Amino acid sequence: LRAYGEQHPIGERLELNEALVDNAWVSSSASNAFEYDLFVIGAGSGGLATAQRAASYGARVAIAEDDRVGGTCVIRGCIPKKLMVYAAAMGGFLDDAGGYGWSVGERTHSWRELVAKRDAAVANLERIHEGHLANAGVDLLRGRARLVAANEVCLGERRYRCRYVLVASGSTPILPDIDGIEHTITSDGFFELDERPERVAIVGGGYIAVEFASILAGLGSRVSLIIRRELPLRGFDIDLRRELLACLVEQGIDVHASTTVSCIEADGGGVRLFLQNPECAEELGAEQALVYAVGRRPNSADIGLEDVRVELGAGGQIAVDAHGVTSVPSVLAVGDVTGKSPLTPVAIQAGRAMADRIFGGKPVTMSYDDIPTAVFTEPPIGTVGLSEDEARECLGDDGIRVYKARFTPLVHALTDRKLPTLVKMIVDADSDRVLGCHMIGHDAPEIIQGLAVAIKAGATKADFDATVGIHPSSAEEFVTFS
Ligand SMILES: Cc1cc2nc3c(=O)[nH]c(=O)nc-3n(C[C@H](O)[C@H](O)[C@H](O)COP(=O)(O)OP(=O)(O)OC[C@H]3O[C@@H](n4cnc5c(N)ncnc54)[C@H](O)[C@@H]3O)c2cc1C
């Protein structure tokens, strides 16, 4: 198999991998040449899920981690971020409470207390994940792992022979090569701030940048957001992008659209930014912190992939087939390092499908269609399926029907704050199938998660219409469009 993998590119190996599944879980005597059936590099979302699922089929599994168990999501991503999103949102609820007759006394917020509690919750989750590994019988090895052959990994002085190696090494924030970039922090540094910066600039228009902007503004910072394009969230539905921009501005965020940073200078305890937009050059002065959230690159360097001849894409992502198999059949990859939909549930589901297939003998393939996703701004976004522009491109202007409604939700009937809600549905005019559901407004991620099941199951607009609404709710708008 190894010889075959070295000679054949990924596409040609699909047939071979089908064959692998039929007799994938060979008898333990055949595995004895290997110390482990699966050696996982990286105890993040994808690595943990694959390791535990493989072990549940009786595979002998090790997982190597050179940082904290949990990976980006648990330690410096989804979880600590969402806790901070809750913290910011609570400020909004306090604003709203007065409208409902509550008298809320003097309002202060302790960043230090929030950060201490957040970090304790994260440490607790880390321990829970370590416990799950131990319960599953997975060996946790501390240190930096490196591939030295198609079936061999080294960790310090020790070498391990393994039937399969799974690379689940994740990704790292990138920084542009401009003067003064050393004065900035990335999302990793954001989670290490022990004081809330009073004045902060955030560079980037993706979901991490807008979420950080919303968190900091919600907690009282003066935030400038610098985005290269006219609107944030490239790739999302155009109405969500427009509505979000308006909401960020309404939240008091100073948005510099169509703007790039040409250089950065240290200025006392803060930084001065030199900005360029189509009209003029401008300066943004004395920011206490500058956060760059302009993208991430796969962690594929310095782990021996080139030596073993694992094929990489132009962006450094590991090239994999539909089952996560690389150009070397014993080397597998999952999660952010593959560059495919870098989201925690995607890494988990792809890893479990891989383990089910190889060690459980089940013909499972991860589906990358209709992946729902959220942006935890104030208000949040939930989205699944095709955007209006994508649907028009596929089916033409006459090929789709678009339904949308914009309103102020009932919760704001009695409050001074009036966060808007926008719900939108894209339908295939021919088949009546719902192609996309998009929402910005309270609870959008929770609502869209449910609708994602309907879209995945191929629901039509008629199915939505036949569904009785829950009243009064914002979600009922999705089943009452006419
Ligand atoms: C700020 C932020 C917010 C995010 N919010 C969300 C969100 O709300 N929802 C969502 O779905 N996704 C979110 N994500 C994305 C999500 O965190 C990632 O998609 C997910 O963690 C990817 O999992 P992974 O297993 O591929 O990699 P990771 O979770 O990054 O795990 C990789 C692990 O490999 C280890 N490692 C790397 N190289 C080696 C080596 N050679 N030896 C040993 N160990 C190694 C690393 O230390 C790391 O622990 C967010 C990301 C960021 C940065």
Side-chain angles (χ1 to χ4, degrees), residues 42 44-46 65-66 72 78 81 145 168 170 207 296 303 336 342-345:
S45 308
E65 175 55 60
D66 70 344
T72 304
C78 333
K81 173 198 77 186
Y207 78 96
R296 297 175 68 83
I303 41 176
D336 284 12
L343 292 167
T344 279

Side-chain angles (χ1 to χ4, degrees), residues 5 25-26 70 90 98 116-117 132 148 154 157 192 203 205 231 236 242 275 285 327 337 341 368 422 446:
W25 195 223
V26 290
M90 279 175 199
K117 288 185 169 157
H132 285 163
V148 284
C154 79
E157 299 293 293
E192 286 162 15
V203 183
L231 294 171
F236 283 65
R242 288 192 184 120
L275 306 179
S327 54
V337 76
S341 301
Y368 287 86
L422 178 114
E446 309 291 337

Side-chain angles (χ1 to χ4, degrees), residues 199-433:
R199 287 193 55 166
V200 57
I202 297 172
V203 183
Y207 78 96
I208 295 175
V210 294
E211 287 175 342
F212 283 3
S214 199
I215 290 169
L216 285 164
L219 293 175
S221 298
R222 279 175 60 196
V223 181
S224 304
L225 179 66
I226 297 138
I227 56 177
R228 198 150 47 106
R229 295 188 168 73
E230 230 175 296
L231 294 171
L233 295 183
R234 182 167 63 105
F236 283 65
D237 186 85
I238 189 72
D239 282 313
L240 294 183
R241 299 177 70 193
R242 288 192 184 120
E243 199 67 50
L244 177 66
L245 178 67
C247 290
L248 293 173
V249 171
E250 182 63 31
Q251 214 187 341
I253 296 169
D254 176 24
V255 180
H256 297 255
S258 308
T259 301
T260 54
V261 180
S262 41
C263 78
I264 302 153
E265 277 177 7
D267 184 5
V271 291
R272 183 167 292 277
L273 277 81
F274 295 86
L275 306 179
Q276 189 69 52
N277 63 42
E279 272 106 56
C280 62
E282 48 175 327
E283 274 181 43
L284 203 60
E287 303 297 325
Q288 277 184 314
L290 173 58
V291 185
Y292 258 76
V294 291
R296 297 175 68 83
R297 71 173 153 68
N299 290 332
S300 57
D302 300 328
I303 41 176
L305 293 168
E306 294 89 344
D307 306 343
V308 181
R309 302 237 192 102
V310 171
E311 202 179 294
L312 300 181
Q317 74 278 19
I318 301 181
V320 288
D321 69 10
H323 308 304
V325 183
T326 72
S327 54
V328 177
S330 58
V331 180
L332 314 166
V334 84
D336 284 12
V337 76
T338 65
K340 286 178 157 193
S341 301
L343 292 167
T344 279
V346 175
I348 292 174
Q349 198 152 325
R352 287 185 179 153
M354 178 187 282
D356 285 343
R357 194 176 165 80
I358 296 177
F359 300 102
K362 297 178 184 162
V364 192
T365 307
M366 164 77 189
S367 160
Y368 287 86
D369 296 334
D370 296 326
I371 292 172
T373 190
V375 182
F376 295 102
T377 39
E378 181 78 343
I381 283 175
T383 181
V384 60
L386 297 186
S387 67
E388 182 176 341
D389 288 348
E390 285 168 339
R392 279 191 199 288
E393 208 177 301
C394 295
L395 300 173
D397 290 349
D398 297 336
I400 62 168
R401 298 195 306 268
V402 177
Y403 300 87
K404 56 184 167 182
R406 186 183 184 282
F407 53 94
T408 302
L410 187 60
V411 67
H412 289 309
L414 306 185
T415 66
D416 292 338
R417 199 169 66 131
K418 306 281 180 205
L419 289 184
T421 292
L422 178 114
V423 295
K424 181 168 176 180
M425 181 187 275
I426 318 291
V427 177
D428 181 336
D430 217 28
S431 65
D432 198 42
R433 199 172 156 169

Side-chain angles (χ1 to χ4, degrees), residues 43-45 65 68-81 122 169-173 187-188 191 207-208 296 299 336 344:
S45 308
E65 175 55 60
R68 295 172 62 185
V69 169
T72 304
C73 174
V74 174
I75 308 296
R76 56 191 79 84
C78 333
I79 299 294
K81 173 198 77 186
V122 165
S169 51
S171 61
T172 306
S187 62
D188 294 352
F191 292 112
Y207 78 96
I208 295 175
R296 297 175 68 83
N299 290 332
D336 284 12
T344 279

Side-chain angles (χ1 to χ4, degrees), residues 455-466:
I455 290 200
K456 196 79 186 161
T460 59
K461 171 75 166 51
D463 293 323
F464 274 69
D465 294 345

